Amino acid sequence: FNAWKRSKPFRNALLFTMSFMYERLMLTMNDVIVAASGRNFFFPQKPKKFHDECAKYTRCAILVRSLLFAIAGWKSLLFLYLSETLWSIPPLPSAAMFVTNHGSDTVTNPSGTVDCVPTASTYSGSWYTLYTLATNLHLEHHDFPTIPLQKLHRLRRIAPEFYREGNGDNLLQIMKKAFSDPQFYACQGHLGSIAYGVEDSQ
């Protein structure tokens, strides 16, 4: 965020793209550390079972990558890297969902207090929900994490008082807003209270 400049969405989007691509590459490198050490040092307070699961996953992932490299060469690994990263960066429509899933929007309560909303959904119609595999329904996912993705859309009908109406979110405007004014991840820099199960309009 120190390199971001307010009201410079294109510059900020470029910085985001570069840092995101770098971060994903470093996470791939981190898999080797987790596989070798048996611990995920990003989460030192987690129980041993968590670290065991992380180690098992990374060892399997490295095995698969090694097999792909042996069979199909370096281009197969490049394909995996690009397929994981490119869908999450602008100007692709899915980037609007990705950059706002864990923002720090605020909502004003009837009492006048301002709460921070640590997650948000993007509503741009059923085709967009299909395109993002329902990951755009992120507020619903955090409210009810055990509900399968294909059933999350029903929550707005069941509990309309907790979720916005409509399906007309402008994806370009969402990206422009997200990259014009940087926010902390999921209200981590917010000093007030956190609002759960409620979403402000985009």
Side-chain angles (χ1 to χ4, degrees):
F1 284 163
N2 291 335
W4 282 37
K5 291 187 177 180
R6 292 186 183 277
S7 303
K8 298 285 185 181
F10 295 106
R11 179 184 186 280
N12 296 337
L14 179 60
L15 286 172
F16 168 81
T17 298
M18 292 165 48
S19 62
F20 182 81
M21 301 292 279
Y22 176 75
E23 175 204 43
R24 294 295 156 169
L25 186 61
M26 290 299 100
L27 286 175
T28 302
M29 300 295 108
N30 184 61
D31 284 353
V32 178
I33 296 173
V34 176
S37 67
R39 289 189 61 80
N40 188 332
F41 294 102
F42 283 116
F43 305 98
Q45 304 301 323
K46 292 283 187 177
K48 184 178 183 302
K49 182 179 179 182
F50 171 84
H51 293 285
D52 291 344
E53 288 294 323
C54 286
K56 186 187 303 182
Y57 165 80
T58 53
R59 289 164 186 161
C60 290
I62 290 171
L63 176 62
V64 169
R65 291 174 198 150
S66 300
L67 288 173
L68 284 173
F69 181 77
I71 296 170
W74 64 269
K75 290 182 181 179
S76 62
L77 300 182
L78 178 63
F79 174 80
L80 283 180
Y81 172 69
L82 294 177
S83 63
E84 180 190 0
T85 55
L86 292 183
W87 74 281
S88 303
I89 59 178
L92 290 179
S94 48
M97 171 274 302
F98 187 82
V99 298
T100 57
N101 272 355
H102 293 121
S104 296
D105 281 341
T106 57
V107 59
T108 302
N109 295 316
S111 63
T113 60
V114 177
D115 290 341
C116 190
V117 183
T119 186
S121 292
T122 303
Y123 302 130
S124 290
S126 55
W127 282 108
Y128 188 71
T129 299
L130 181 64
Y131 169 63
T132 60
L133 299 178
T135 54
N136 60 310
L137 305 178
H138 215 66
L139 180 63
E140 292 87 336
H141 163 67
H142 276 267
D143 286 345
F144 300 95
T146 59
I147 292 181
L149 288 176
Q150 71 272 17
K151 295 182 180 179
L152 280 176
H153 68 279
R154 300 180 187 176
L155 284 173
R156 285 210 292 168
R157 292 198 305 268
I158 296 170
E161 67 272 23
F162 292 107
Y163 306 102
R164 286 190 293 118
E165 294 182 356
N167 290 293
D169 286 352
N170 185 312
L171 302 177
L172 289 177
Q173 287 301 317
I174 289 173
M175 281 190 278
K176 183 178 179 181
K177 177 186 173 186
F179 291 116
S180 292
D181 187 13
Q183 297 179 337
F184 284 95
Y185 178 85
C187 297
Q188 289 185 14
H190 185 73
L191 298 177
S193 57
I194 308 296
Y196 295 100
V198 65
E199 181 174 27
D200 192 17
S201 58
Q202 295 278 1

